[in-house]
Amino acid sequence: MTTSWTTHGVEFLPDTVRKRFRPDADGDPDREWRALTLLDRYAPGLAPRPLSLDGRTVTMSRLPGLPLRGTELTTAHLDALARATDRLLHAVPPEEVAALPERRWYVGDSVAAIRRRAALPSLPSLPALVAGLRWLAGAEASLSAPWAPVLGQADGNLANFLWDGADVRLVDFEDSGRSDRPYELAELVEHLSAWVDTDLDAAAFLGRLTLSPAEQARLLECRRLFALLWLVFLATDPATAARNPPGTTERQAARLLALLDY
């Protein structure tokens, strides 16, 4: 079952999954296939095993487990989520990651989307938006600086993290590509799914990972970027706002202000 904003339909079979992409899903099947192939080689069992790529259809193994989104996250959940995420971000050798295309919605894409939407006449006058855009003007150069590359899943929706009672596995790699570790972690903890209908304790999750001082500094800047990106979409895109509970825009504005130390 798909919805109007998805790029694909999914058919669940007893042991396999067929993911059929729309004709306008440019490059998505190749990104999915490439990521699954790399993870099958370097981190087997973390993601579905790729079985075939036929045009716009990717067939993969079916993983056990239920999505973390919408569940009450326990210590065991956080432990497994941290293990899986850290494994993903260390799995593929840097020389192989360097040859990958940049993930979708990397820094340049996110900044460009924010600026486009900030120029819309429909943009409401929110103090958080004003503060966020002021921050972005001074932070864009450092955000765009090169970082050690990793394979990024490029989708922090907790619905893509499956819990089988002991471990977490990952699905949905159609936007994947070259990224960096702080950026990927920031997307996960700032995704709307982390707090709109699930209570992900960001500090507890991130505390399970080893981050250098430089990574911690970049992580904060990337969290601010994602918080601002979500806010401009909630404020200017009726479809984004309609998919979330009433009051989400106001709560997102408060999250951004907190990250900006207001």
Side-chain angles (χ1 to χ4, degrees):
M1 189 74 178
T2 63
T3 52
S4 59
W5 62 85
T6 61
T7 60
H8 57 269
V10 178
E11 180 184 4
F12 293 98
L13 301 172
D15 299 312
T16 61
V17 174
R18 290 180 186 147
K19 194 169 182 178
R20 293 186 174 91
F21 291 88
R22 296 189 326 217
D24 60 346
D26 183 36
D28 292 7
D30 292 330
R31 286 177 180 268
E32 181 98 27
W33 181 257
R34 186 185 299 115
L36 294 182
T37 300
L38 286 169
L39 291 175
D40 190 47
R41 183 186 309 159
Y42 294 110
L46 182 62
R49 186 175 185 183
L51 300 176
S52 68
L53 172 61
D54 182 9
R56 294 190 300 272
T57 299
V58 177
T59 302
M60 64 196 81
S61 64
R62 182 169 179 174
L63 296 178
L66 297 173
L68 287 181
R69 183 166 185 173
T71 64
E72 182 177 347
L73 299 182
T74 66
T75 296
H77 288 129
L78 291 178
D79 289 344
L81 179 61
R83 286 196 307 270
T85 304
D86 210 40
R87 188 182 179 199
L88 167 69
L89 298 179
H90 285 101
V92 183
E95 60 272 18
E96 295 220 32
V97 176
L100 298 177
E102 191 175 89
R103 60 156 279 173
R104 291 214 172 98
W105 292 98
Y106 199 37
V107 174
D109 291 340
S110 296
V111 170
I114 290 169
R115 299 222 181 276
R116 282 195 305 271
R117 290 185 174 271
L120 293 174
S122 60
L123 186 76
S125 179
L126 296 174
L129 283 173
V130 174
L133 293 170
R134 185 186 304 119
W135 162 80
L136 182 60
E140 184 175 353
S142 62
L143 281 166
S144 302
W147 269 79
V150 301
L151 171 64
Q153 182 185 16
D155 192 340
N157 192 332
L158 287 175
N160 296 328
F161 296 80
L162 305 182
W163 165 254
D164 68 359
D167 293 307
V168 165
R169 296 179 175 86
L170 284 62
V171 297
D172 280 357
F173 289 86
E174 64 264 20
D175 290 331
S176 64
R178 190 178 69 255
S179 183
D180 67 77
R181 188 166 175 247
Y183 194 81
E184 293 299 305
L185 294 174
E187 181 176 30
L188 197 162
V189 297
E190 291 306 319
H191 197 281
L192 289 186
S193 67
W195 58 269
V196 165
D197 51 14
T198 313
D199 188 13
L200 173 65
D201 186 332
F205 167 69
L206 294 170
R208 286 165 161 79
L209 305 169
T210 302
L211 297 167
S212 70
E215 286 179 314
Q216 291 175 354
R218 178 167 175 79
L219 174 63
L220 175 58
E221 294 294 87
C222 293
R223 290 183 67 178
R224 290 169 171 170
L225 180 65
F226 277 111
L228 177 58
L229 181 65
W230 276 114
L231 183 56
V232 296
F233 268 93
L234 286 165
T236 60
D237 182 9
T240 301
R243 290 199 294 269
N244 293 286
T248 299
T249 302
E250 291 76 15
R251 293 176 65 193
Q252 182 64 37
R255 287 179 67 88
L256 175 58
L257 288 174
L259 288 168
L260 293 172
D261 298 323
Y262 271 74

